[in-house]
């Protein structure tokens, strides 16, 4: 059972611990966690130092031989228990997730349930060895063996969902794990550690909270064989450079600047709510959010009107208020960045279709903002906003829209919208991205690979290809000739 909620003399929640070698432990240092709806510290948790990390890695290494010797079916039983625990404890976990992350409570519940179903979904994927040749002379087999200890580093926008993907990929394929959540949102991940402490054999799953330096120590650590990193492009580059010193395997799930191309034949009133959701849910703090809308000139005015109407329906507020559809920006740094971007966009003559003003209330709230008449080389078009502001850009010729959509170092995903799905599919296939959707955006599943092209990442999560990135291919080549 989870520890009861504890409050210290300053009124902060303190019932959090690291998970190292099957034990809930504290640490010398602590981390303060802020509720973004108030801007105030509400909890304090242990922050792992180097020695804590060393113990976690050593525990994971010790646990590896026995865990990797289990079959996929045996490991699946453990993962299913974890999924069941997530579902049973969804209300308690969602409360904590909303408190630290800000998203509306129902969306926190959805995130936890999705983590459970994606976890189960991954255990449906069969990884088998392949026979390359088997004739009278020789047999050549390709097998996949687990790498060892996987270090998992996650961001603050969807901490549970983004931990579950790499965690289950690593565990299912026979690796043991050291997982580090973002210092902005460590609590729900630590709480899950406490809840699954007695499910997995000691040392198979270790969870250590801490600052950015802890992430760097993980990338340098000689006892870690693979890093799964989800976060910004800038940090992803540092992670890859650091992993080079030990030639760790690396999966990078980084930022995006997804374009949605809306063709001339759509009904703007039907498309607008879907586009708005894809751009603004979680206050735009989604790697694969729609971050640029390219609208054909024929439907451009009607689409702008319909999007602005939609914006007025999305109430911004505390995630615990049932009326709230958009919570605050998760942290002060990101809030300042988005406010600066909105001001820069307005200063440069953009027409504001909705929002644009910053509420002067405590907490990091920003109203959903739609802008148009912005230059293609403006910051709002070139940069990843990762917040509730989206530009609508006009096009006449589809080739021009494609060129502009592809004119970026990002390449996470994108979408094309049309009354004719096959016409849209032919255009979508030319987006330089990891995932190109038609008449939808942000649809992922455990059996479909997801990841970024260009600077949006390296490798894929989910599906056979994602799971195999936690394994080393090993060729067994047998010459059938006695010697
Ligand atoms: P971030 O890069 O600042 O931090 C991510 C994690 O890395 C945190 O746990 C942080 O403590 C750790 N970290 C920081 N410096 C490190 C270092 N030098 N070495 C190792 N670890 C280090 O990212 P963020 O601000 O938390 O997240 C937002 C970004 O994540 C956005 O760009 C978003 O698009 C991206 N993202 C991508 C995906 C995806 O699947 N592609 C999903 C969610 C978020």
């Amino acid at each position: 059972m989870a520890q009861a909620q504890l409050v210290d003399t300053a009124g902060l929640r303190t019932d959090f611990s690291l998970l190292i070698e099957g034990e809930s432990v504290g640490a010398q240092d602590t981390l303060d966690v802020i509720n973004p709806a108030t801007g105030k510290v509400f909890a304090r948790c242990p922050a792992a130092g180097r020695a804590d990390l060393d113990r976690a890695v050593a525990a994971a290494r010790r646990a590896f031989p026995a865990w990797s010797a289990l079959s996929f079916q045996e490991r699946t039983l453990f993962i299913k228990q974890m999924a069941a625990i997530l579902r049973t404890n969804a209300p308690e976990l969602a409360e904590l997730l909303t408190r630290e992350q800000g998203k509306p409570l129902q969306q926190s519940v959805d995130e936890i349930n999705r983590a459970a179903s994606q976890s189960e979904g991954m255990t449906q994927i069969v990884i088998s060895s392949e026979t390359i040749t088997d004739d009278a002379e020789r047999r050549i087999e390709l097998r996949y063996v687990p790498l060892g200890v996987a270090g998992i580093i996650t961001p603050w926008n969807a901490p549970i969902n983004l931990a579950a993907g790499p965690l289950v990929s690593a565990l299912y394929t026979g690796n043991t794990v050291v997982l580090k959540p973002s210092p902005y949102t460590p609590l729900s991940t630590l709480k899950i550690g406490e809840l699954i402490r007695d499910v997995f054999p000691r040392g198979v799953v270790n969870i250590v909270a801490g600052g950015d330096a802890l992430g760097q120590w993980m990338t340098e650590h000689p006892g870690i064989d693979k890093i799964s990193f989800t976060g910004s492009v800038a940090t992803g580059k540092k992670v890859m450079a650091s992993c080079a010193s030990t030639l760790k395997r690396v999966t990078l799930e980084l930022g995006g600047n997804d374009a949605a191309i809306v063709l001339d034949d759509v009904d703007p009133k039907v498309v607008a709510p879907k586009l708005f959701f894809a751009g603004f849910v979680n206050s735009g703090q989604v790697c694969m959010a729609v971050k640029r809308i390219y609208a054909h000139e024929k439907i451009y005015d009607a689409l702008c009107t319909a999007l602005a109407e939609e914006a007025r329906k999305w109430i911004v507020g505390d995630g615990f208020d049932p009326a709230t559809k958009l919570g605050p920006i998760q942290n002060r740094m990101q809030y300042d960045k988005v406010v600066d971007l909105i001001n820069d966009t307005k200063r440069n003559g953009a027409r504001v279709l909705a929002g644009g003003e910053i509420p002067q209330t405590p907490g990091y709230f920003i109203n959903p903002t739609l802008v148009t008449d912005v230059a293609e080389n403006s910051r709002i078009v070139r940069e990843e906003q990762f917040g509730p502001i989206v530009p609508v850009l006009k096009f006449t010729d589809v080739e021009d829209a494609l060129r502009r959509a592809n004119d970026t170092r990002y390449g996470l995903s994108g979408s094309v919208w049309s009354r004719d799905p096959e016409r849209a599919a032919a255009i979508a296939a030319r987006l330089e991205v990891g995932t190109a959707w038609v008449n939808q955006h942000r649809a992922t599943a455990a059996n479909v690979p997801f990841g970024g092209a260009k600077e949006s990442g390296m490798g894929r999560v989910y599906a056979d290809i994602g799971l195999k990135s936690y394994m080393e291919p090993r060729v067994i080549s047998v010459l059938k000739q006695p010697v």
Side-chain angles (χ1 to χ4, degrees):
M1 262 333 272
Q3 288 175 36
Q5 285 194 19
L6 295 177
V7 174
D8 72 3
T9 47
L12 303 183
R13 252 189 90 169
T14 56
D15 51 303
F16 305 100
S17 39
L18 312 179
L19 175 62
I20 299 179
E21 197 153 29
E23 280 172 26
S24 297
V25 296
Q28 234 165 28
D29 292 330
T30 56
L31 256 181
D32 284 353
V33 183
I34 288 173
N35 175 352
T38 62
K40 296 210 163 69
V41 175
F42 77 99
R44 181 165 289 161
C45 71
R50 261 187 206 269
D52 301 305
L53 175 65
D54 286 344
R55 284 201 299 124
V57 173
R61 293 220 77 83
R62 273 194 295 278
F64 177 68
W67 181 251
S68 58
L70 298 179
S71 65
F72 282 92
Q73 289 79 0
E74 285 167 322
R75 292 191 294 256
T76 295
L77 296 178
F78 290 95
I79 292 163
K80 285 194 168 157
Q81 273 188 66
M82 181 181 82
I85 284 176
L86 287 178
R87 286 205 182 89
T88 311
N89 292 277
E92 180 201 0
L93 291 169
E95 208 262 356
L96 197 51
L97 182 54
T98 290
R99 187 92 54 204
E100 66 177 341
Q101 203 283 333
K103 63 184 66 181
L105 187 59
Q106 185 55 46
Q107 287 171 30
S108 290
V109 173
D110 294 346
E111 177 173 337
I112 290 151
N113 286 331
R114 184 170 166 74
S117 55
Q118 291 282 78
S119 298
E120 290 165 340
M122 272 181 277
T123 63
Q124 305 291 308
I125 297 162
V126 178
I127 307 283
S128 39
S129 35
E130 297 153 34
T131 303
I132 295 171
T133 303
D134 193 5
D135 56 24
E137 201 184 333
R138 62 186 77 225
R139 187 180 72 247
I140 305 176
E141 267 180 77
L142 177 57
R143 294 189 192 165
Y144 293 91
V145 296
L147 290 170
V149 176
I152 298 171
I153 302 173
T154 58
W156 43 259
N157 59 326
I160 304 306
N161 206 20
L162 295 173
L167 174 67
V168 172
S169 303
L171 293 175
Y172 177 60
T173 51
N175 302 275
T176 54
V177 168
V178 177
L179 164 62
K180 183 196 98 65
S182 165
Y184 292 112
T185 52
L187 304 178
S188 43
T189 309
L190 290 177
K191 199 49 82 178
I192 288 173
E194 210 180 291
L195 291 165
I196 62 172
R197 183 186 57 206
D198 302 324
V199 169
F200 289 94
R202 282 164 70 92
V204 168
V205 181
N206 302 275
I207 303 183
V208 286
D212 293 349
L214 177 62
Q216 192 185 327
W217 300 334
M218 288 170 69
T219 61
E220 292 164 354
H221 205 293
I224 293 181
D225 302 283
K226 153 143 196 165
I227 290 285
S228 158
F229 171 81
T230 309
S232 62
V233 172
T235 312
K237 288 178 181 177
K238 289 186 200 160
V239 166
M240 192 160 167
S242 176
C243 286
S245 66
T246 45
L247 280 183
K248 286 183 180 55
R249 300 331 187 225
V250 190
T251 299
L252 301 176
E253 289 293 321
L254 309 179
N257 195 6
D258 286 15
I261 300 177
V262 188
L263 302 186
D264 55 1
D265 59 358
V266 301
D267 179 345
K269 286 208 166 71
V270 174
V271 173
K274 297 175 198 266
L275 278 178
F276 188 90
F277 179 86
F280 287 90
V281 72
N282 203 22
S283 296
Q285 303 165 112
V286 178
C287 54
M288 56 180 137
V290 167
K291 293 180 179 137
R292 298 173 287 159
I293 298 174
Y294 288 96
H296 189 272
E297 61 179 355
K298 216 168 119 192
I299 48 89
Y300 167 82
D301 286 329
L303 186 67
C304 287
T305 307
L307 282 167
E309 261 169 38
E310 192 61 26
R312 282 186 277 280
K313 297 182 198 157
W314 284 63
I315 294 166
V316 176
D318 190 317
F320 287 103
D321 182 339
T324 295
K325 289 181 93 174
L326 296 174
I329 302 302
Q330 198 282 322
N331 58 71
R332 180 83 211 194
M333 186 196 59
Q334 186 64 22
Y335 170 83
D336 287 343
K337 194 182 140 197
V338 177
V339 169
D340 182 51
L341 202 48
I342 290 177
N343 289 337
D344 175 81
T345 306
K346 287 202 292 192
R347 245 194 332 269
N348 283 294
R351 182 156 59 92
V352 177
L353 299 168
E357 66 297 323
I358 313 298
Q360 296 304 308
T361 47
Y364 311 141
F365 296 102
I366 297 179
N367 292 330
T369 299
L370 284 151
V371 292
T372 190
D373 297 342
V374 292
E376 204 64 24
N377 64 358
S378 58
R379 285 182 54 202
I380 185 60
V381 178
R382 306 298 304 171
E383 294 178 13
E384 182 190 37
Q385 60 273 55
F386 216 63
I389 169 169
V390 175
V392 188
L393 303 128
K394 197 191 287 187
F395 75 90
T396 310
D397 172 28
V398 170
E399 291 302 318
D400 178 50
L402 263 173
R403 187 189 55 72
R404 289 155 71 190
N406 286 334
D407 181 20
T408 169
R409 286 305 303 150
Y410 290 103
L412 191 57
S413 32
S415 55
V416 181
W417 302 71
S418 168
R419 197 176 291 263
D420 177 351
E422 291 312 322
R423 178 186 171 215
I427 297 165
R430 295 171 59 200
L431 286 169
E432 296 165 359
V433 292
T435 305
W437 288 291
V438 168
N439 294 346
Q440 57 180 341
H441 205 105
R442 296 190 53 196
T444 59
N447 62 345
V448 181
F450 181 79
K454 300 183 186 171
E455 291 193 8
S456 284
M458 291 272 291
R460 295 292 182 270
V461 285
Y462 301 140
D464 176 82
I465 186 175
L467 293 180
K468 282 182 180 160
S469 73
Y470 289 82
M471 309 188 87
E472 193 68 58
R474 180 178 291 165
V475 171
I476 321 288
S477 184
V478 181
L479 190 57
K480 297 179 182 174
Q481 228 174 53
V483 286

